[in-house]
Amino acid sequence: MAHQEPLPRAYEPAEVEKQWFPRWEKGNCFHGDPASAKPGYSIVIPPPNVTGILTLGHVLNNTLQDILCRRARMKGFEVCWFPGTDHAGIATEARVVKFLKQTENVTRDELGREEFIRRVWQWKDEFGGKIIRQLRTLGCSCDWDRERFTMDEGLSAAVRKVFVELYKKGYIYRGQRMINWCPAAKSALSDEEVIYKDVPGKFYYFRYPLADGSGALTVATTRPETMFGDTAVAVHPDDPRYRHLIGKMVKLPLTDREIPVVGDPHADPTKGTGCVKITPGHDPNDFEVGRRCHLEVINIMNPDASLNDFCPAEFAGLDRFAARDLCVKRMEEAGLLEKVEDIVHSVGFSERGDVPIETLVSAQWFCKMGELAKPAIEAVRSGRIKFYPERWSKTYFHWMENIQDWCISRQLWWGHRIPAWYNAKGEIYVGETAPEGDGWTQENDVLDTWFSSWLWPFSIMGWPDGGKAEMAKFYPTNDLVTGPDIIFFWVARMIMAGFEFTGEVPFRNVYFTSIIRDEQGRKLSKSLGNSPDPLDVIREYGADALRFSIAYIAPIGMDIKYSNEKCEIGRNFANKLWNACRFRQMQGDCSADCRSLPAGELSADENWMLAKLDAATLTIEKELNDFRFHAAAHALYDLVWSDFCDWFVEAEKVPMRAGGAVRERALAVLDYTLFRILKLLHPYMPFITEELAHRLGFVDEDKFLMYEEFPTEASGRSDAAAAALVDGKFELVRAGRFLRSSYNIADGKKLKFHIKAVDAATAEFLRREMDSVRSLLNAEAIELGLEAFDSASRGAAASQTVSCGVVCLPLADLIDVDAEIVRLKKQLADLGKWIAGNRARLANEKFVNSAPAQVVADTRSKLAELEQKEAHTRELLDALTK
């Protein structure tokens, strides 16, 4: 039998957690061996930004991944959870630029490209990857020896190979197109990197005078500063108000330029004035009008969104918003501002920079996505890849079936430099290595960060030049756990890349996590001060408590309302389990064979416990197969807290006190149950379960609970029908305890009860269980029969009707009946006043319609609580007066 070590009185999570992670690593527990004969199971971590620190979103995501990996390991799979970090081009470059300015007062441009990139690597080595170290504190069982970084040489080689292959197929091209521009990063953005927000704005109505002096056309704009890029005013060719003006010229205010009036269906006669200013260089729709009408495309902005030298001198160099104000002022002074309207409109913001983007025409690199999308759409439609919750497939299909070319170039220095070279002849060379000969200059732009991330499931395994064993064993991966906010950025693109470069799906199941909010429903953010540091939470509650709590409160497909106090769920649960194990240790050494049940007949309570354990085992297996992590957590919680600790352990104290073979059998069943509980719970709470399994001697010193078999099937020894009788017994006990508490009778006081069984068979069962019932009710004596309690001759009694009969508590010798009647009547009167007051508030339409929704909801909840208390008080009074 394994060595057993006494448990300390109190559970100290920090002491337990700090010792087990090094022991697991020393035991090589997390390594995925491609040569193993076991079936493979793999997950790739969504690579956090190398600049990142642990957030509660990471805690949720990685806890769920770890649950899947630990469970698979216990089910006999060769598990490999591939970890790594993303180079995060925009975020990292911005962070290092700020760092260098603060520490050395030097800019990126002053350092030059080569030196700046060297400094970024230096910063990454010194400060980056902090989040990976923090994930270990959480207990994540990644194969840490396989940690990769998206700019490692192997992954960079994969990026170059993919770029070249797609270029040769004609999917990647360079062209002048309307793109999204982030003035903060001074870089192009893909459509998916633009977040739209409803913000207050203004519609400015400007008059553009006709060049012949015959009048003016009124146009409306939300961006007056773009007027310097106007190259036409458009009217609908069939609009009778303006069609005669097509071909005439208008004077562009504040400039010395004239621009034509053009006829184009983009101008809607039913909207505004019917006249539209056309700025092909700064609006996607206007760009298309410009192509149809052969208009000049003018860019009026510098990379930081200040106005450039094409604009009038007093505007050149001004910030775009300052230029807007000055433009409006000058138009008003010129008598050309007709009116201004306040509006709320949707404005695109840079996801990273959180500043309004600009749309402008620029030479960029693009990737055609239409053909790549086809097999990826079919994979989800056919069920080869399944989404959980399934509703996200609709979002996926909508985007994929309307997919646009992907702008893949970024005007940064940190990232994968585009493998394209130019020469003085205007030739372009694209290759995995530089062209031979002199006179070639490499493209300055780097690739979008997601261009490396979309290769992650196979590039992390060594594709294309290595990793054949890993690919054979672990690819495709099994499951992906990620946030729905990157379904386009990452999930869809990985599926496309998987088919294009490996001919296979990259994963089979995708679980989209919930969004974590605070108790008020707000997203967690540092600016709101509602985003706690998970490491602080771990220090206060323990990693296991945080893991269990966050899974427990995370229903599939619904937002999570989080507060640190909710971690008390996990902490209290851990303490409950610890104390139950301490109680078991106090009964003597644990069974030599905790993996099997004792032979022979079991007691009713033991059969009941096995029935509950079997039902929970099957439920947990089903829920985890369906990625219902919270439902499995609830099943575990109810099994441990209620069934095992509150009922079974208490009920088994009777046979344990009896001694002999009955005691040995009771302890053997308790050990079997406890060991299966620790195995079922291990994926959620790895530290405490590993500690308890070793302390109790269930697992040998040189072995680990994480390699024990995960329970998925019933024991084969339980009888559900017989267990239902014990359910009735425990229901009766709950009713008796309720009667005790209703009259404020101390728990330690021995009481007398009367039980009227529902039938003779039930009476016989309860008679056999009388020692258990008496112990659980802390009863001095119990009368059991088929006759009702005679209150007429024996005095007042309180009663509760349950499925197996009626339990009565004679009150004559316990309380002063007359005084209790007076007390209860007064309580009823008070309750009646409070109920009337709350009903009056809710009957007041002004209160219901104008008070905050939460206040109204709280009032309704309070009324329901008072009404329930009133009904209960009336029952207590009736028991004393009838």
Side-chain angles (χ1 to χ4, degrees):
M1 187 171 67
H3 172 69
Q4 299 182 33
E5 188 177 346
L7 286 165
R9 182 178 182 83
Y11 171 51
E12 298 292 344
E15 292 300 311
V16 170
E17 291 166 6
K18 75 180 182 182
Q19 62 159 316
W20 275 111
F21 205 89
R23 288 178 66 175
W24 288 327
E25 287 200 298
K26 186 177 179 182
N28 209 26
C29 293
F30 306 150
H31 179 64
D33 181 5
S36 168
K38 298 177 184 178
Y41 176 92
S42 60
I43 288 182
V44 294
I45 196 172
N49 289 353
V50 70
T51 60
I53 59 172
L54 196 66
T55 67
L56 285 171
H58 293 119
V59 169
L60 173 63
N61 187 298
N62 287 279
T63 293
L64 300 186
Q65 290 178 79
D66 199 37
I67 289 170
L68 293 172
C69 288
R70 288 180 180 272
R71 174 174 173 250
R73 206 174 277 119
M74 295 176 76
K75 294 181 80 168
F77 288 89
E78 186 65 28
V79 174
C80 195
W81 181 8
F82 292 85
T85 50
D86 191 280
H87 66 278
I90 292 176
T92 303
E93 182 156 320
R95 179 73 66 88
V96 176
V97 165
K98 183 178 180 181
F99 174 78
L100 291 171
K101 187 66 177 176
Q102 291 174 339
T103 58
E104 301 180 35
N105 195 28
V106 65
T107 67
R108 184 191 79 153
D109 294 335
E110 287 169 346
L111 287 174
R113 182 171 196 140
E114 186 175 337
E115 177 61 17
F116 176 75
I117 291 174
R118 190 185 73 79
R119 296 294 188 93
V120 179
W121 278 105
Q122 186 179 59
W123 181 93
K124 180 259 180 188
D125 292 339
E126 186 172 353
F127 301 107
K130 182 179 180 181
I131 191 169
I132 291 295
R133 296 188 292 275
Q134 293 171 328
L135 287 173
R136 299 159 80 94
T137 306
L138 190 64
C140 294
S141 60
C142 298
D143 187 343
W144 295 106
D145 292 336
R146 297 184 187 276
E147 182 186 340
R148 302 298 294 274
F149 178 53
T150 51
M151 288 205 23
D152 287 349
E153 181 48 43
L155 277 73
S156 296
V159 168
R160 291 192 295 270
K161 179 179 178 64
V162 164
F163 185 95
V164 172
E165 286 192 11
L166 293 178
Y167 180 80
K168 288 178 178 178
K169 291 184 76 169
Y171 288 174
I172 284 180
Y173 64 94
R174 189 170 189 267
Q176 287 268 352
R177 279 188 51 185
M178 179 67 63
I179 54 102
N180 306 300
W181 185 265
C182 173
K186 300 178 186 175
S187 174
L189 301 175
S190 68
D191 291 343
E192 292 71 42
E193 292 170 291
V194 178
I195 306 299
Y196 286 90
K197 302 180 185 181
D198 288 335
V199 296
K202 295 181 186 297
F203 249 137
Y204 301 92
Y205 289 80
F206 292 158
R207 282 192 292 273
Y208 282 19
L210 288 161
D212 62 8
S214 61
L217 296 179
T218 300
V219 298
T221 180
T222 59
R223 301 158 68 208
E225 68 280 6
T226 63
M227 67 183 295
F228 302 120
D230 290 357
T231 54
V233 172
V235 298
H236 196 281
D238 297 329
D239 190 334
R241 295 172 296 174
Y242 306 117
R243 62 187 174 201
H244 65 286
L245 298 177
I246 295 173
K248 288 198 170 190
M249 305 296 285
V250 297
K251 292 182 177 179
L252 182 62
L254 311 186
T255 75
D256 57 3
R257 292 168 48 217
E258 292 185 356
I259 57 178
V261 179
V262 298
D264 191 274
H266 173 60
D268 187 343
T270 66
K271 292 183 178 178
T273 65
C275 302
V276 182
K277 62 187 284 296
I278 302 300
T279 319
H282 293 281
D283 183 274
N285 292 319
D286 293 2
F287 180 74
E288 296 303 320
V289 174
R291 289 175 61 179
R292 290 192 293 268
C293 298
H294 309 292
L295 301 174
E296 183 182 4
V297 177
I298 300 171
N299 177 18
I300 64 161
M301 289 193 177
N302 295 313
D304 63 355
S306 62
L307 270 58
N308 63 26
D309 290 340
F310 186 85
C311 304
E314 69 170 332
F315 292 90
L318 284 182
D319 170 77
R320 54 183 164 163
F321 300 116
R324 178 177 302 177
D325 293 340
L326 181 59
C327 184
V328 173
K329 181 181 179 182
R330 293 290 182 257
M331 290 293 283
E332 186 174 22
E333 290 171 349
L336 298 175
L337 175 62
E338 191 169 288
K339 63 177 178 177
V340 180
E341 290 178 351
D342 290 325
I343 60 168
V344 173
H345 62 150
S346 183
V347 174
F349 279 71
S350 165
E351 185 195 34
R352 287 288 180 196
D354 196 31
V355 295
I357 63 150
E358 289 295 334
T359 49
L360 50 85
V361 175
S362 174
Q364 300 288 338
W365 289 87
F366 298 88
C367 183
K368 298 176 183 177
M369 306 302 286
E371 288 301 314
L372 295 172
K374 289 178 181 178
I377 291 171
E378 180 56 27
V380 176
R381 198 180 302 284
S382 67
R384 289 182 66 187
I385 297 175
K386 294 182 178 178
F387 286 176
Y388 299 84
E390 195 278 332
R391 62 182 170 84
W392 285 110
S393 62
K394 295 178 183 177
T395 305
Y396 174 83
F397 290 136
H398 178 74
W399 185 71
M400 292 289 278
E401 290 166 355
N402 297 278
I403 197 164
Q404 302 296 310
D405 290 0
W406 175 15
C407 178
I408 57 174
S409 50
R410 298 292 180 270
Q411 288 63 54
L412 304 170
W413 285 354
W414 174 245
H416 297 101
R417 195 167 179 179
I418 291 175
W421 286 260
Y422 309 96
N423 65 17
K425 300 176 185 178
E427 297 172 323
I428 299 178
Y429 170 84
V430 172
E432 294 180 52
T433 58
E436 296 180 358
D438 298 329
W440 292 96
T441 303
Q442 188 173 359
E443 168 70 70
N444 280 318
D445 291 353
V446 300
L447 288 161
D448 180 6
T449 295
W450 297 103
F451 197 88
S452 54
S453 300
W454 76 326
L455 312 178
W456 187 247
F458 48 92
S459 67
I460 199 173
M461 296 186 192
W463 182 93
D465 299 323
K468 289 182 173 58
E470 283 79 2
M471 290 284 287
K473 187 71 174 181
F474 297 118
Y475 190 86
T477 65
N478 295 75
D479 303 316
L480 177 73
V481 179
T482 188
D485 53 327
I486 55 175
I487 188 171
F488 309 134
F489 288 121
W490 196 45
V491 178
R493 289 172 179 161
M494 280 192 291
I495 298 173
M496 290 186 270
F499 277 110
E500 179 67 16
F501 300 107
T502 73
E504 246 305 356
V505 296
F507 32 72
R508 297 183 179 91
N509 301 296
V510 183
Y511 177 83
F512 293 105
T513 57
S514 307
I515 295 173
I516 304 179
R517 302 183 183 276
D518 65 13
E519 290 283 24
Q520 299 176 45
R522 303 175 300 177
K523 288 188 74 170
L524 302 185
S525 71
K526 289 181 180 179
S527 61
L528 291 175
N530 65 350
S531 182
D533 183 342
L535 295 184
D536 291 339
V537 179
I538 288 173
R539 278 188 283 272
E540 182 174 358
Y541 295 96
D544 279 336
L546 175 57
R547 288 169 60 113
F548 186 83
S549 300
I550 207 159
Y552 185 90
I553 64 174
I556 186 169
M558 296 175 61
D559 290 354
I560 299 171
K561 286 194 173 181
Y562 175 87
S563 65
N564 282 354
E565 290 71 28
K566 288 187 176 176
C567 290
E568 291 176 10
I569 296 169
R571 180 170 64 184
N572 294 343
F573 185 57
N575 288 335
K576 187 88 167 178
L577 180 65
W578 185 270
N579 290 334
C581 291
R582 279 194 72 243
F583 169 79
R584 172 60 191 93
Q585 268 198 342
M586 291 164 64
Q587 311 311 309
D589 286 346
C590 294
S591 306
D593 184 10
C594 57
R595 290 170 175 79
S596 59
L597 288 162
E601 188 177 354
L602 303 176
S603 73
D605 289 337
E606 289 154 3
N607 171 75
W608 176 88
M609 185 66 248
L610 289 181
K612 295 296 182 185
L613 179 62
D614 288 348
T617 298
L618 297 177
T619 295
I620 291 162
E621 178 69 3
K622 180 181 183 302
E623 300 294 11
L624 289 178
N625 283 342
D626 292 337
F627 298 89
R628 292 171 55 84
F629 300 96
H630 78 293
H634 280 255
L636 279 164
Y637 186 92
D638 293 342
L639 173 69
V640 174
W641 192 288
S642 179
D643 298 337
F644 183 72
C645 294
D646 286 355
W647 289 111
F648 183 61
V649 171
E650 291 302 312
E652 286 295 87
K653 289 178 180 178
V654 173
M656 281 191 273
R657 285 194 294 264
V662 173
R663 172 183 170 84
E664 293 304 313
R665 185 195 67 211
L667 291 174
V669 175
L670 197 149
D671 290 345
Y672 173 86
T673 303
L674 191 51
F675 187 40
R676 277 177 75 98
I677 282 172
L678 293 177
K679 289 187 285 187
L680 287 167
L681 188 56
H682 176 76
Y684 283 83
M685 305 180 82
F687 295 107
I688 189 173
T689 52
E690 192 80 75
E691 176 78 1
L692 291 172
H694 282 80
R695 291 267 193 169
L696 294 171
F698 292 160
V699 178
D700 291 337
E701 184 67 22
D702 60 343
K703 293 188 169 68
F704 297 96
L705 179 65
M706 71 161 61
Y707 284 116
E708 291 290 336
E709 184 178 357
F710 189 80
T712 60
E713 297 179 352
S715 65
R717 291 284 301 276
S718 64
D719 181 338
L725 291 171
V726 179
D727 280 327
K729 178 183 78 171
F730 290 155
E731 183 189 15
L732 182 147
V733 170
R734 275 192 295 271
R737 290 174 175 175
F738 177 75
L739 292 174
R740 176 193 289 269
S741 65
S742 295
Y743 292 97
N744 300 315
I745 300 169
D747 292 340
K749 184 175 178 60
K750 295 280 186 180
L751 300 180
K752 295 177 181 178
F753 288 91
H754 177 94
I755 298 173
K756 174 187 176 294
V758 70
D759 55 36
T762 304
E764 181 57 31
F765 168 73
L766 290 174
R767 192 166 284 110
R768 292 195 303 271
E769 295 294 307
M770 192 49 65
D771 286 347
S772 172
V773 176
R774 191 181 297 113
S775 174
L776 292 169
L777 282 174
N778 192 24
E780 178 184 356
I782 295 178
E783 293 179 0
L784 172 63
L786 298 175
E787 301 296 327
F789 181 80
D790 184 7
S791 57
S793 62
R794 300 178 64 180
S799 65
Q800 286 277 302
T801 301
V802 291
S803 61
C804 63
V806 180
V807 58
C808 289
L809 176 62
L811 297 170
D813 298 330
L814 294 173
I815 63 173
D816 182 334
V817 175
D818 292 337
E820 185 67 7
I821 289 172
V822 171
R823 185 185 74 81
L824 291 172
K825 284 183 176 179
K826 182 179 183 305
Q827 186 169 314
L828 270 177
D830 290 341
L831 285 167
K833 293 175 185 176
W834 297 332
I835 288 171
N838 280 274
R839 284 176 178 165
R841 289 187 81 191
L842 291 170
N844 184 338
E845 288 188 15
K846 184 176 179 182
F847 168 74
V848 173
N849 294 330
S850 60
Q854 190 59 49
V855 173
V856 176
D858 290 345
T859 304
R860 288 198 174 103
S861 177
K862 183 65 176 176
L863 176 60
E865 181 186 335
L866 290 169
E867 289 173 338
Q868 186 177 13
K869 191 175 290 187
E870 181 189 44
H872 176 55
T873 305
R874 201 174 298 283
E875 285 179 10
L876 296 178
L877 184 59
D878 288 346
L880 299 179
T881 56
K882 65 182 178 182

